[in-house]
Amino acid sequence: MFFSTLIRAVVAAALLSLTAASAQEPKLVNGYEPKWWKEVVVYQIYPRSFKDSNGDGIGDLPGITSKLDYLQKLGVNVIWLSPHFDSPNADNGYDIRDYRKVMKEFGDMADFDTLLAGIKQRHMRLVIDLVVNHTSDENKWFVESRKSKDNPYRDFYIWRPGHTAPDGTRTPPNNYPSYFSGSAWTLDPTTNEYYLHYFAPKQPDLNWANPKVREEVFSLMRFWLDKGVSGFRMDVIPLVSKPTGLPDLTPEQLKAPPNAYANGPHLAEYLQQMDREVLSKYDDMSVGEATGTTLAQTNNLVDDRRHELNMIFNFDAIKLGRSDFGLSKLGPWTVPELKSIYDDHARILTKHDWDTVFLSNHDNPRIVSTFGDDSPAMRVPSAKLFETMILTLRGTPFMFEGDELGMTDYPFRKLSDYDDISVKNAYKDLVGGGKMSAADFLAAQAQVSRDNARTPMQWDSSPQAGFTTGNHAWLAVNPNYKQINARQEESDPASVLNYVRALIALRAHTQAFVYGDYEDLDPQHPHVFAYTRTLGGEKYLVVENFSSSPVTYTLPNGLKAAKLLLSDIPKSHESSIATLHLAPWESRIYKQ
C-alpha cells in the first residue's frame, strides 16, 4: 500500500512538473517565438526636424505630441525617438551631456512625460536612443576625467600617452581614423595625454572595460525603462568592446575600419550582463546599430538563446552601391544584388534570429532619391514600391519620418547648405587637404549626405511647410514642399500616404508577413522582384517592378497570380493570370 501510494505521488508530481514546464514553453508560430516587437511597424522621429511647437525653428517634444493622432492613423505601433537628451549638439544630440535631462531646445521632462502618456493612450510604444559608446566632452564624467591622471573618473574614458619623437613631436597612440575624418585621437593639454574618439573630438569614447562605466549605463537604462519607455535603439553598440591592446590597423583593415573596431573580445560579455541586469527584467525591445557587423556575425548578437539583443540593423542593403566609411558616393547597383541581400538573410538567419527591414534613417539620404526615381512622373509609384517591399519582407520594418510621404533629397549646392559635422570635417580634410576638388566633393555629398533625411517634415503648403510658425527652420525646408506634404496627400486617395496606411493595415492583419517563410521566385531577373510569404496554408505573392519602364512578366514555375489585394497603381486589376503587365515602379500583393 505504501509503495503504490508513493508511486502515485511520484507520477502525479512528474505530471505536474511536465504540465508546468509545458505551460512555460512558448507556443511557436512557424518555428518562431512570438514577440510583440516582431509584429510592429516602427517609425523613427528625428525630433529636431519633426514639428516645432514654439516658433523657434527647432522641432520639439510638444510638436511630436501634437502629431500623435497622425501617427496613430498611419498605423505604426512603435515610435523610435532619436536622442532627446541634454546635449551641446556637436553631432545633433549624439553627444550627450546629461542622460537624465531633456535637451532644452526640445522641452523639459514634463514635456517628455506628456508625450509618453499620449503615446500609451493611443496604444503605441516609445523606444529611445541609447548612445553609450561615447558621451559629450561636456558630460560630467569627462569633465572630471580630463582633470588629472588620478581623478576617480579617469578610467571612464580611454587615455594613452601616445608617441614622442626625438625632436619632441607628439603623435597619436595608433593609426585609428575617426568616422568624422582625421585621427580618432585628440591630445588633451591638461594631462598631456590622448583620448580616443571614434567620432568627433567632442565625443570621447567610454571605457566599457571599467565595471563602473557599465553600471552607470545600466542605471540610466533603468531610469528610462522605469519611466515607461519600451526599449532602446542602441547607437553603434558593437563598438563598445575595443580591440585588445589597440594595435595599429593593417593596410587591409584601414580599407574598412568599422570591421576592425567592432565586435571586440568582450562584446558578448557586456551585452549578456546588460540583458541579465536590465533588459530581461522589462517587457522591452532592443535593436542595435550594428556598424562593422557582417551578416555571418549577426546571430552572435541576436540569437535568442544568447540573451543579448533582440535585433540589429545590418547595413548591407542601405549601403548598396557605396562604402560605409570615409567619403561615400553613390555607385552602380543592380536589382539582383539587392535581392541577393534579402535572400542571404533568409538563408543564413535561423528561427532563433530576428531580422530588421529598412532603407532609411537619420544617417542616410531619402529612399526614393537613392534607390528609386524621384522625378515628378515616377516619384509616387517609386516611393510606394519601396514601402511595399519593406513592409512585406522578413523582419521588423522600420520607417523614417517622411517616408510615408515620399519625401526626396534636398537640392544641396554649396557647403553652407549643410549642417552635418561629418560633411564639414570631410570638406576640411579632403578639399582643404588638396585631395579632391570642391565640385567633386559637393556633388558626392549631395547624393549621400545625412542632411537629406534631416530637412524638416513637410506638413502642408504654408511657409516652412507647416513645420514652424517662425521665419526660419534650423535646416532649410525642401523647396518641393508645396507639392509634397501631408495635408495634400491626406486628401488624395492615390497618394503615398494613403497607400502606406493601407499597406500597414494589411500587414497588421496578415501574420504571414510577420512569421511566414520567404522565397525569392526569380533571383536573377534584372527588374522584377517576385517573392512569396507562406504561413501554414496561407500564401501571399508580392511582385515589384524596379524600373521606370513597363515590364511584361511571366511568373516562373507555372505560378499564377490569384487574388489582387493591393497595388500601388490604383487602376491595376489583373488577377488569376500567369503573365503580368506591370506599369513603371508598380508593386502588387496577391493572396494565393
Side-chain angles (χ1 to χ4, degrees):
M1 183 69 174
F2 170 77
F3 287 108
S4 61
T5 302
L6 178 61
I7 290 170
R8 284 197 298 271
V10 169
V11 170
L15 289 172
L16 184 62
S17 176
L18 286 170
T19 302
S22 176
Q24 292 174 1
E25 290 178 3
K27 184 179 180 181
L28 302 182
V29 178
N30 194 26
Y32 295 102
E33 182 180 353
K35 293 287 186 180
W36 64 263
W37 42 265
K38 296 179 180 180
E39 301 173 7
V40 299
V41 175
V42 184
Y43 185 96
Q44 182 188 0
I45 288 178
Y46 196 70
R48 182 171 294 272
S49 299
F50 193 65
K51 176 63 178 172
D52 170 28
S53 70
N54 60 7
D56 66 356
I58 299 172
D60 48 43
L61 300 185
I64 299 171
T65 301
S66 74
K67 294 297 183 180
L68 290 180
D69 287 342
Y70 167 87
L71 295 172
Q72 184 183 31
K73 186 175 181 180
L74 181 60
V76 298
N77 318 93
V78 175
I79 295 169
W80 155 24
L81 189 65
S82 286
H84 66 284
F85 315 99
D86 175 45
S87 168
N89 283 312
D91 187 24
N92 281 350
Y94 284 88
D95 49 315
I96 297 174
R97 183 164 45 203
D98 188 338
Y99 288 98
R100 289 175 169 82
K101 186 177 179 182
V102 172
M103 189 186 302
K104 64 184 180 190
E105 294 93 336
F106 294 168
D108 56 25
M109 194 61 81
D111 294 319
F112 180 87
D113 292 340
T114 299
L115 171 62
L116 181 57
I119 290 170
K120 290 186 172 184
Q121 286 167 5
R122 290 165 178 80
H123 307 290
M124 297 186 290
R125 295 175 183 255
L126 178 64
V127 168
I128 63 174
D129 249 284
L130 184 71
V131 186
V132 289
N133 173 71
H134 47 268
T135 69
S136 166
D137 66 344
E138 298 180 28
N139 187 290
K140 63 183 179 181
W141 302 337
F142 191 75
V143 170
E144 289 296 318
S145 183
R146 73 194 318 173
K147 285 182 178 179
S148 67
K149 295 180 183 179
D150 58 0
N151 187 281
Y153 286 90
R154 183 66 170 186
D155 198 36
F156 267 50
Y157 297 85
I158 298 170
W159 295 91
R160 295 290 186 274
H163 305 294
T164 305
D167 65 358
T169 302
R170 300 292 300 279
T171 54
N174 63 29
N175 64 353
Y176 285 11
S178 162
Y179 277 79
F180 290 167
S181 303
S183 174
W185 296 92
T186 289
L187 182 64
D188 192 59
T190 304
T191 59
N192 206 29
E193 285 196 338
Y194 291 85
Y195 65 87
L196 179 68
H197 54 87
Y198 280 163
F199 296 89
K202 286 186 67 65
Q203 294 170 286
D205 278 37
L206 284 164
N207 177 21
W208 273 63
N210 182 349
K212 293 181 180 178
V213 168
R214 301 199 298 275
E215 184 44 51
E216 287 285 358
V217 170
F218 300 159
S219 177
L220 71 91
M221 292 173 70
R222 295 185 195 101
F223 173 83
W224 291 102
L225 287 166
D226 289 341
K227 265 192 169 291
V229 306
S230 292
F232 302 97
R233 174 267 185 184
M234 300 184 181
D235 188 64
V236 297
I237 196 68
L239 303 185
V240 298
S241 177
K242 311 302 185 193
T244 302
L246 303 179
D248 276 346
L249 300 186
T250 66
E252 189 64 26
Q253 288 174 319
L254 283 170
K255 295 177 182 177
N259 295 341
Y261 292 162
N263 301 297
H266 298 288
L267 182 62
E269 170 192 337
Y270 298 157
L271 294 180
Q272 287 168 7
Q273 183 186 8
M274 178 189 288
D275 179 79
R276 186 171 61 251
E277 298 190 17
V278 184
L279 296 176
S280 63
K281 302 181 186 301
Y282 297 85
D283 180 25
D284 54 26
M285 68 172 265
S286 57
V287 55
E289 182 191 26
T291 180
T293 301
T294 66
L295 178 59
Q297 295 170 312
T298 296
N299 62 357
N300 290 339
L301 293 169
V302 304
D303 187 315
D304 57 25
R305 296 165 295 189
R306 292 176 60 90
H307 304 289
E308 295 178 27
L309 302 177
N310 298 145
M311 302 172 276
I312 64 167
F313 293 128
N314 175 285
F315 294 99
D316 290 346
I318 204 170
K319 296 296 184 183
L320 190 64
R322 58 193 176 109
S323 67
D324 191 26
F325 198 82
L327 179 68
S328 182
K329 58 183 179 180
L330 287 183
W333 62 275
T334 67
V335 174
E337 285 177 324
L338 178 66
K339 291 188 282 189
S340 72
I341 290 171
Y342 297 115
D343 296 349
D344 287 345
H345 280 229
R347 178 175 53 85
I348 292 173
L349 300 183
T350 74
K351 302 284 186 176
H352 291 284
D353 311 313
W354 195 253
D355 210 355
T356 57
V357 192
F358 67 104
L359 283 176
S360 60
N361 60 29
H362 63 290
D363 281 336
N364 287 276
R366 289 289 177 180
I367 294 177
V368 69
S369 298
T370 305
F371 297 98
D373 182 342
D374 62 5
S375 68
M378 297 297 169
R379 180 190 65 84
V380 170
S382 181
K384 290 178 179 178
L385 178 144
F386 285 101
E387 294 311 310
T388 302
M389 186 185 79
I390 289 167
L391 286 156
T392 58
L393 282 173
R394 293 174 66 257
T396 297
F398 286 73
M399 301 173 59
F400 182 74
E401 63 183 44
D403 286 351
E404 76 279 15
L405 305 179
M407 283 179 60
T408 66
D409 284 354
Y410 183 89
F412 290 105
R413 297 286 183 266
K414 54 189 184 297
L415 186 64
S416 59
D417 290 339
Y418 294 92
D419 171 81
D420 187 5
I421 186 175
S422 68
V423 174
K424 295 176 179 180
N425 283 358
Y427 187 91
K428 292 177 185 176
D429 179 42
L430 298 172
V431 179
K435 301 173 185 176
M436 68 185 306
S437 71
D440 287 345
F441 176 86
L442 291 172
Q445 284 302 310
Q447 293 181 316
V448 301
S449 170
R450 305 190 298 177
D451 280 345
N452 281 305
R454 300 177 181 187
T455 59
M457 181 75 171
Q458 294 164 208
W459 291 108
D460 56 43
S461 60
S462 66
Q464 304 300 324
F467 164 72
T468 179
T469 56
N471 294 325
H472 301 284
W474 75 276
L475 189 63
V477 173
N478 195 310
N480 63 16
Y481 72 90
K482 290 188 177 181
Q483 293 76 44
I484 305 173
N485 64 73
R487 179 171 295 173
Q488 182 275 328
E489 295 198 24
E490 179 79 41
S491 61
D492 178 4
S495 68
V496 181
L497 175 62
N498 281 310
Y499 177 78
V500 172
R501 286 173 175 166
L503 191 56
I504 292 174
L506 176 62
R507 185 183 189 277
H509 294 93
T510 312
Q511 272 213 320
F513 288 133
V514 181
Y515 299 113
D517 291 330
Y518 159 89
E519 182 184 2
D520 182 352
L521 300 177
D522 199 349
Q524 296 307 314
H525 195 283
H527 302 299
V528 173
F529 192 4
Y531 53 92
T532 55
R533 300 296 308 278
T534 306
L535 182 64
E538 288 198 351
K539 177 180 284 190
Y540 294 83
L541 168 68
V542 183
V543 185
E544 298 155 345
N545 173 20
F546 284 69
S547 168
S548 295
S549 300
V551 170
T552 298
Y553 179 68
T554 299
L555 291 163
N557 306 321
L559 189 65
K560 285 189 176 182
K563 179 182 179 183
L564 181 64
L565 297 181
L566 192 63
S567 170
D568 63 11
I569 306 295
K571 294 181 181 180
S572 284
H573 60 273
E574 293 182 328
S575 296
S576 302
I577 57 174
T579 298
L580 307 178
H581 300 87
L582 301 170
W585 295 103
E586 184 173 6
S587 55
R588 301 180 187 176
I589 301 175
Y590 289 91
K591 173 74 179 293
Q592 294 299 94

